[in-house]
Every structure is written in C-alpha cells, then in structure tokens.
Amino acid sequence: MAGCNEEYLAFTPLVVSVALALGFDSLTALGMLFCSVAAGYGAGCTQPFSVGVAQGIAGVPIFSALPYRVGIFFVLLILNISYVMYHAHKVKKNPQSSPVYEIDQAKTHDINIEEAEPLTTRQAVCLALLGLNFVGIIVGVLKFDFYMNEISALFIIMGVLSGIICDAFLDGCKGMMLPCLAVAMCKAATILLDNARVMDTIIHALAGMLDVFPSSAIAFGMFIIQDCFNLLVPSSSGQAAISMPIMAPLADIVGLTRQTAVFAFTFGDAFTNCITPASGATMSYLAMANVPYKKWLRFVLPLIGAWWIVAFCFLTYATAINLGPV
C-alpha cells in the first residue's frame, strides 16, 4: 500500500529460489514481486512519491480519498493473487508448460534440497548481519529520516562484510554486474531523451491525443496517456512533476475533479512499470531472475489487460460521482 518497487530487488534471489524449490518457476517468483508492486502503486494508499506529489501539485489534500484507494487495493490484490496462483498451479501440475522451463532447469539441476548442508558459523553471522541491517533501516527511517542513499549505503556495507566473511564477494559482484549495467543503460536513455528535449515533444503530442476521447471517457484517456508517459518516465515523482501541471488544469476544463485526474495518474504510473525497458528496476529484476524480456512480456500482458479493465471501472465511477477530496 505504500508502493515499494526498487526495495524488493534485494529479495529477488530469495523469492526465485523459494519458488523453484517449491516446484514453481521464475515467472511465478517475478509475478509475486511485480504484482505486489502493481497493487501497492495502483492504489497508492500511503504512497508519498506518486500520490503525495501528484495531489500536492493538483491542489488536492494529501492522501485524501483513502477509503476509495483501499477498495482499489483489495480489488487489485485479489486479481493479482488469482492470476499468479493460476499460473503457479499450471506449472506445478506440468513443469514443462512453463515458458522458462529450460532456463529454470539450468538453475536447479545441481540443487538437492534433500541433502541440504548444515548452516555454518559464517553463514549464521551473515544472517545476523542481514537482521541487523533491517533493524538499522527501520531505526534510520523512523528516527533519522533515512532515504534511498542511506538505505543503499547500509546494504552496501552489509554486502561487503558478508562477502568478506564468506569469501564470496567477487562471486556476488559477478551476479550483480548485469543488473548494474541494465540500470545504467536505462538511466542513460532517459537522460538523453530529456536533455535533447525529445521528452517534451513526445509528452506534448501524447497530451494532444486526449482530444479524440468523448467527455465521458476523458478520465480513461488521461489514464492511457499516463501509461504512455510511464514508458518514458518510470519515476513516480518525476512523472507527477511532468504531467500533473498539464492534467490538473485539463481536468478543470473538461469538467472532471482534480481527484479523478490524480487517480488517472496513479493508475497510469503503476501499470506499465513492469514492462518499460526504461526502468532500471524492472530490467534488474529480469536480469537477476535470468528471465528473457519477451517471455516476461507474454506472461504479464494478459494481466495488464485486466488492470486496464479495473482502471476503467474505477475511473468511470469516479467520474460519475464527481469524486472529490474525502
């Protein structure tokens, strides 16, 4: 409900390993991660980076319409759990039906959970460091206003110490090289588009597309435009700063409430996060799980279609009742 994304990267190897050990596949693991992110971002009940910034720019009370957002959260949560469980059940019944069956076999052919090695002293110390790290994050966030830089520093310190203790630092660096390169390349593409003013041209053209929608469907048109924005600007706060100064006045002109415009932004910001190549986090998830982009796209596109239906229903209702600050 708070809308986390990059924060789950540290848990990707663990979630993938557990899914494979239980007889599922890597797509099931990624589904658990991305679907939880989509529910949190789509509802954005207490999301400061998207909802908080967008409502502030639109002049709407921060975190208003919370009951409506809680309802959205539970609808998305039930939908996402059902979709992932359907896929997991199919793979459990017939592992070869998985699109990543061969890839997962290469990961698991040397694993035998029946002959697990006992926990060593060094591994126990590393687990203790992990627990201490989470305590440090909680205390830092609550007492000292820690944010991404400070939290990242704690994870780096933990990683270095764990690597030294277990003599596995270089092996760990090898595993993270591809995700790090993916993050850098995605950021470079965004910087080039922004500094060359190509981003502004694309955004202006997309905003003009709203003219083709009837007044009753303007809110859904805003959502579609925001979805397109998100392919280029996956940053929640960055997208809010770019689009809400346009969408909020536009909502006044066409007779929508600014709260409805914020909902259109929230949905658009959430639902293409999991497929945009411009997102360093998304490409890092796929790299760490060793899942090809095309296979992930085929897996998640039907679910994105279901998310669009949910967005259409909630935006239509918000338009019908002139949803305002509540």
Side-chain angles (χ1 to χ4, degrees):
M1 296 175 75
C4 297
N5 188 3
E6 292 88 348
E7 293 82 351
Y8 295 151
L9 276 171
F11 301 102
T12 302
L14 175 63
V15 175
V16 171
S17 299
V18 171
L20 295 178
L22 293 174
F24 304 128
D25 63 349
S26 297
L27 289 175
T28 301
L30 289 177
M32 289 189 285
L33 292 166
F34 277 114
C35 288
S36 61
V37 169
Y41 264 87
C45 300
T46 55
Q47 225 291 40
F49 312 116
S50 60
V51 176
V53 174
Q55 288 182 328
I57 294 174
V60 177
I62 303 299
F63 299 134
S64 54
L66 183 59
Y68 200 69
R69 292 188 178 279
V70 171
I72 294 171
F73 175 74
F74 282 108
V75 170
L76 289 174
L77 193 64
I78 293 171
L79 172 64
N80 295 348
I81 290 174
S82 300
Y83 186 83
V84 174
M85 287 185 65
Y86 169 77
H87 175 81
H89 176 74
K90 183 174 67 174
V91 171
K92 185 75 170 180
K93 187 176 181 180
N94 180 16
Q96 294 185 358
S97 66
S98 170
V100 293
Y101 174 75
E102 293 81 6
I103 297 173
D104 287 342
Q105 284 297 107
K107 300 176 189 175
T108 59
H109 76 281
D110 290 330
I111 298 177
N112 186 349
I113 60 175
E114 301 298 331
E115 298 180 0
E117 297 181 1
L119 190 69
T120 65
T121 302
R122 290 188 175 190
Q123 291 170 338
V125 172
C126 289
L127 285 175
L129 282 175
L130 178 62
L132 185 62
N133 187 62
F134 285 124
V135 172
I137 291 173
I138 295 171
V139 174
V141 170
L142 295 178
K143 297 293 185 181
F144 303 105
D145 297 325
F146 277 17
Y147 192 50
M148 294 303 297
N149 290 339
E150 293 81 4
I151 294 173
S152 299
L154 288 177
F155 273 110
I156 290 173
I157 293 171
M158 182 200 71
V160 172
L161 291 176
S162 299
I164 293 173
I165 293 171
C166 289
D167 296 327
F169 184 71
L170 291 179
D171 290 337
C173 288
K174 291 177 183 178
M176 286 302 299
M177 183 58 68
L178 182 58
C180 289
L181 287 174
V183 171
M185 293 178 68
C186 292
K187 185 62 177 179
T190 303
I191 291 173
L192 287 174
L193 288 172
D194 190 28
N195 291 347
R197 298 295 186 265
V198 176
M199 195 83 75
D200 296 340
T201 303
I202 296 172
I203 290 169
H204 181 269
L206 290 174
M209 291 170 57
L210 287 173
D211 292 337
V212 305
F213 291 92
S215 57
S216 59
I218 285 290
F220 192 64
M222 286 182 172
F223 157 69
I224 294 175
I225 298 303
Q226 294 288 359
D227 247 359
C228 295
F229 283 174
N230 199 46
L231 291 171
L232 299 170
V233 189
S235 167
S236 301
S237 54
Q239 187 182 163
I242 291 171
S243 61
M244 286 313 298
I246 300 173
M247 296 302 177
L250 181 61
D252 297 335
I253 294 172
V254 300
L256 294 176
T257 64
R258 292 195 170 197
Q259 187 75 272
T260 303
V262 173
F263 272 104
F265 159 77
T266 306
F267 287 137
D269 172 62
F271 294 159
T272 49
N273 275 334
C274 63
I275 61 171
T276 172
S279 171
T282 298
M283 303 311 291
S284 296
Y285 280 116
L286 298 181
M288 293 176 75
N290 194 27
V291 171
Y293 180 75
K294 290 183 179 179
K295 292 184 181 294
W296 166 248
L297 201 63
R298 286 197 294 269
F299 167 80
V300 80
L301 279 180
L303 182 58
I304 292 178
W307 290 341
W308 275 47
I309 294 173
V310 171
F312 176 78
C313 293
F314 277 100
L315 288 172
T316 300
Y317 184 70
T319 302
I321 66 173
N322 288 319
L323 182 67
V326 291

